[in-house]
Amino acid sequence: MAIDPAELLDAPAAEDRLKSSFEREPISALRLGPAIAVPEDATLQEAIENLQHHHIGCVLVSAPDGTLKGIFTERDLLNRVAGKKLDWCECRVSDFMTRDPETLRPDDRIVWALNLMHMGGYRHVPLVDEQNRPVGVISVKDIVEFIVELMPDAILNLPPDPHRAPSNDEDPGGSD
């Protein structure tokens, strides 16, 4: 017997709380890490090492003046680099990055990030300051963490298997 997550929370209240939080809260309210950027003359090797070292899905690419020039994502790696006989130590990340990505600012509302991710099919959106210098990245993972924080009991207390009813105090063990 499967558990319906809707049974664990008041759906209209949870929906209102989510909607209100997304519309009201700025992106800066999320726990975002620093912007990891490489210069536009960096090699593919340097960009990929940054992805691996920082356990992230993208690096931002900066011009010499510090402004954002592009973003290099795992998707770029798979679609533009993988399977090609390239010397990663010689090729420049700027030849494989997504140029002039859509951006947001930290004071923009979370709902704008959701809209941009949905409409553009993005998993990462660069955050820039007024001079177009990278200051961070918002990811789908950041938004999921925000949702979990809004509804921790309803999400974290679900049974580990969605197709098995949770045990109760009278019958704490499973059946063999």
Side-chain angles (χ1 to χ4, degrees):
M1 177 170 142
I3 294 288
D4 182 1
E7 295 172 8
L8 299 175
L9 53 98
D10 180 10
E15 184 177 317
D16 290 344
R17 185 172 53 236
L18 275 175
K19 182 179 177 194
S20 173
S21 294
F22 287 139
E23 290 174 346
R24 185 183 69 248
E25 295 290 334
I27 294 168
S28 61
L30 303 176
R31 283 186 255 164
L32 304 175
I36 305 299
V38 296
E40 62 185 326
D41 64 349
T43 65
L44 273 175
Q45 183 70 34
E46 291 170 304
I48 293 166
E49 284 173 355
N50 269 288
L51 294 176
Q52 292 172 325
H53 176 74
H54 296 287
H55 304 287
I56 52 177
C58 71
V59 291
L60 303 179
V61 182
S62 297
D65 66 359
T67 59
L68 181 70
K69 295 304 282 185
I71 184 171
F72 182 73
T73 67
E74 295 165 317
R75 189 179 290 171
D76 293 324
L77 179 61
L78 287 172
N79 292 331
R80 298 177 180 175
V81 176
K84 296 181 180 172
K85 295 185 187 313
L86 301 171
D87 182 348
W88 289 8
C89 293
E90 293 296 320
C91 294
R92 301 287 163 223
V93 70
S94 59
D95 293 330
F96 300 93
M97 69 183 182
T98 300
R99 294 185 176 282
D100 302 315
E102 295 190 65
T103 63
L104 292 170
R105 295 205 177 134
D107 58 346
D108 289 331
R109 303 290 176 238
I110 296 171
V111 71
W112 287 103
L114 281 169
N115 178 267
L116 194 55
M117 289 173 171
H118 173 70
M119 299 303 288
Y122 310 133
R123 290 181 291 232
H124 301 91
V125 176
L127 302 174
V128 296
D129 64 14
E130 294 79 18
Q131 288 78 41
N132 198 42
R133 290 184 306 246
V135 296
V137 173
I138 182 172
S139 71
V140 171
K141 181 182 174 193
D142 299 320
I143 294 174
V144 170
E145 287 174 357
F146 181 73
I147 293 169
V148 170
E149 287 177 11
L150 284 174
M151 303 184 328
D153 292 338
I155 294 172
L156 298 175
N157 291 329
L158 288 173
D161 181 350
H163 304 286
R164 189 174 82 202
S167 61
N168 58 38
D169 291 325
E170 292 84 35
D171 181 22
S175 60
D176 291 336

